[in-house]
Amino acid sequence: MRTYAIRTFGCQMNKHDSERMAGLLEAEGLVAADVLEDADVIVFNTCCVRETADERLIGQVSSLKALKTGGRPDVVIAVGGCVGQRDGTALLRQLPHVDVVFGTHNIEELPALVAAAAEGRRAVSVLDGTDRFASDLPSVRERRWHAWVPITVGCDNHCAYCIVPAVRGPERSRVFEDIIAEVERLVADGVVEVTLLGQNVNSYGRDRYGAPRFAELLRCVASTGIARVRFATSHPKDLSDETICALAETPALMPYLHLPVQHGSDRILEAMNRGYTRSAYLERITRLRAALPDIALSTDIIVGFPGETDADFEQTLSLVAVVGFDHAFTFIYSPREGTPAARLSETVARPVAQERFDRLATLVRDLSLASNERQVGQVHTVLIEGPSRRDVGTLSGRTPHNRLVHIPLGDDGVAPPAGGLRRVRVVHAHPWFLTGEFTEGEV
Ligand code: 5AD
Ligand code: SF4
């Protein structure tokens, strides 16, 4: 039996696309390999948002060269996703032992491209766009009880540093009724949590219906009977009062929001073309907390954008402290060829950016720990995700606020099933996770 393996880099949209790639390959009779190097077909689903992801890809693909030269010349190596979309045929020159290159708009061609490669032809296919959503394709869900549901693809915002609009294309919204029908099917299939996906979910519907319909979509998705709804990513400039209201009024919408601010200084926000000011962002946070006092907030922050001064960076630190994020994902600016920011000359020296990054990371860690410490003693309904990656004697799960909880199993070792909801008392806080114990009570 022929086997496949998929290695996924990058965002949640890529994770979703990988589940579709797995579905397509299994529909052709391939089965998942336990170990990547043993597979007959190896797919890299790639990310180009920062240089580090590019470098990791090149390292990992290059290390497979030995497979082909050392006794397994028939292994098919495919590179898809954002790097495939960006580089096309040029990838074959850089990585000569790659057999297949495909892009973000033509996942469904993967089986045909793999078949061509198996017959000895190198196959490259990259499209400029498509009207189809990968959701129509077969899928193998990584977690039986969770599904990614794309509601938009692409992005119209053109933030100065971001390559995404170039590789995912302009924003396109999926048909409202198609999304609801998919969630209904997922509920019938035992899924308890969906994550709605889009580069900017808040503007869902604008291209297709002339006005955003995200708040309405959230309420309709919640009314399918699904236990938990999450979504990513929200753009601060498009986070409407209607959406805040829907979040506050609908129990199935989890009380957690990822709202990337990117920077704390108005000067840099403008240079980034983000479309809001520091005070407009803070005003959105105030409104959110007025409606949902206990909402958990996370954000993305870029350090070392061209032209960033010490004073600008202090503004980032102060914004992070003022908001008191529960978590933040922090990045050192990485110039991406083809983006407007890549042409800016006033670059920040690497050691300066690194020093700022380290200061920010310390603040973020302290805030995460403080946020987690406030949970100790509280009881939450936790969605069990399965054994912890570090310790099979421990289960992992998520609270409604998206906090990761590890729960040691009792002496009997009996574990509630993955996908189950259980009441858990938090007993200890760490910066990046909680530990807890099962407790009685209704979920
Ligand atoms: N350099 C550094 N970080 C970036 N991001 C996007 N593009 C870049 C870049 N060129 C970050 C942003 C975005 C997250 C997904 O990645 O913070 O929100
Ligand atoms: Fe990139 Fe900005 Fe679009 Fe996000 S909103 S994908 S950062 S261009």
Side-chain angles (χ1 to χ4, degrees):
M1 209 165 331
R2 291 186 84 215
T3 58
Y4 74 92
I6 302 175
R7 175 138 309 159
T8 309
F9 297 83
C11 66
Q12 295 167 332
M13 193 65 90
N14 269 16
K15 289 186 183 153
H16 164 260
D17 286 348
S18 289
E19 293 188 346
R20 303 291 160 173
M21 292 174 196
L24 286 161
L25 294 173
E26 295 202 3
E28 298 292 314
L30 279 80
V31 294
D34 291 332
V35 178
L36 183 106
E37 287 77 8
D38 292 346
D40 299 303
V41 177
I42 301 175
V43 183
F44 290 89
N45 188 10
T46 61
C47 169
C48 58
V49 94
R50 285 174 296 277
E51 198 177 358
T52 40
D54 262 340
E55 285 164 355
R56 274 175 60 215
L57 171 75
I58 291 166
Q60 293 196 12
V61 176
S62 302
S63 72
L64 293 180
K65 196 164 139 195
L67 276 186
K68 297 199 108 174
T69 51
R72 295 187 55 213
D74 296 337
V75 172
V76 173
I77 300 177
V79 177
C82 295
V83 175
Q85 183 71 33
R86 186 192 64 189
D87 294 351
T89 314
L91 251 181
L92 296 181
R93 287 195 291 278
Q94 193 180 12
L95 296 167
H97 46 290
V98 166
D99 306 284
V100 169
V101 179
F102 61 110
T104 54
H105 302 297
N106 62 334
I107 290 171
E108 62 261 54
E109 281 185 65
L110 178 61
L113 297 169
V114 166
E119 288 167 11
R121 284 173 282 140
R122 296 176 96 191
V124 178
S125 179
V126 174
L127 307 180
D128 286 340
T130 175
D131 290 334
R132 293 198 52 188
F133 276 83
S135 305
D136 304 333
L137 304 172
S139 172
V140 176
R141 288 196 303 273
E142 197 186 327
R143 296 171 286 174
R144 194 179 35 77
W145 44 269
H146 174 270
W148 308 108
V149 178
I151 62 169
T152 68
V153 292
C155 186
D156 287 344
N157 283 320
H158 300 285
C159 300
Y161 50 81
C162 186
I163 193 72
V164 167
V167 288
R168 289 277 178 183
E171 181 173 287
R172 286 179 296 113
S173 298
R174 229 174 129 193
V175 173
F176 193 102
E177 292 74 18
D178 289 358
I179 299 169
I180 303 302
E182 182 178 359
V183 177
E184 282 169 347
R185 281 195 303 275
L186 292 166
V187 172
D189 198 28
V191 168
V192 288
E193 180 178 86
V194 291
T195 305
L196 308 179
L197 292 182
Q199 242 69 53
N200 176 10
V201 287
N202 304 86
S203 62
Y204 166 77
R206 188 146 50 200
D207 56 312
R208 183 176 285 279
Y209 303 109
R213 291 181 69 184
F214 184 55
E216 184 189 351
L217 183 74
L218 281 177
R219 289 182 193 270
C220 274
V221 167
S223 70
T224 59
I226 188 90
R228 290 186 166 194
V229 182
R230 300 189 185 279
F231 53 87
T233 295
S234 296
H235 195 301
K237 78 178 164 53
D238 296 317
L239 176 65
S240 67
D241 287 345
E242 289 76 25
T243 297
I244 295 176
C245 201
L247 280 175
E249 290 175 0
T250 320
L253 304 179
M254 292 296 102
Y256 162 66
L257 188 69
H258 181 60
L259 197 64
V261 65
Q262 311 295 1
H263 212 278
S265 142
D266 280 342
R267 228 170 54 80
I268 301 292
L269 285 171
E270 194 177 344
M272 286 177 162
N273 191 28
R274 287 292 289 174
Y276 54 85
T277 58
R278 174 191 176 95
S279 65
Y281 184 89
L282 291 173
E283 186 268 345
R284 287 289 88 192
I285 299 290
T286 305
R287 283 206 182 226
L288 261 169
R289 285 193 167 139
L292 295 110
D294 141 66
I295 191 166
L297 292 170
S298 65
T299 198
D300 289 345
I301 296 168
I302 296 178
V303 174
F305 187 80
E308 182 188 74
T309 62
D310 279 338
D312 291 320
F313 177 65
E314 292 297 332
Q315 293 273 299
T316 291
L317 286 179
S318 81
L319 180 129
V320 170
V322 165
V323 175
F325 290 106
D326 298 277
H327 187 57
F329 301 89
T330 51
F331 309 101
I332 292 186
Y333 168 69
S334 166
R336 305 281 65 203
E337 203 182 313
T339 60
R343 295 193 297 271
L344 298 174
S345 52
E346 246 186 292
T347 53
V348 176
R350 181 72 199 201
V352 174
Q354 187 67 53
E355 193 262 337
R356 290 177 187 166
F357 179 87
D358 293 345
R359 282 177 67 198
L360 177 62
T362 303
L363 174 60
V364 166
R365 182 186 184 281
D366 291 349
L367 287 173
S368 290
L369 180 59
S371 156
N372 281 346
E373 279 172 343
R374 288 192 292 275
Q375 306 304 307
V376 174
Q378 293 193 23
V379 176
H380 291 293
T381 301
V382 167
L383 176 54
I384 305 298
E385 299 191 337
S388 138
R389 274 189 237 156
R390 313 159 162 210
D391 173 5
V392 283
T394 298
L395 285 175
S396 295
R398 297 260 166 193
T399 68
H401 298 81
N402 209 34
R403 293 189 175 95
L404 177 63
V405 196
H406 296 306
I407 311 133
L409 288 178
D411 293 340
D412 57 4
V414 179
L421 293 165
R422 288 289 185 283
R423 297 292 279 170
V424 172
R425 175 176 294 105
V426 177
V427 291
H428 197 76
H430 303 258
W432 315 125
F433 63 90
L434 305 167
T435 52
E437 60 191 14
F438 290 116
T439 170
E440 296 303 313
E442 286 289 300
V443 291

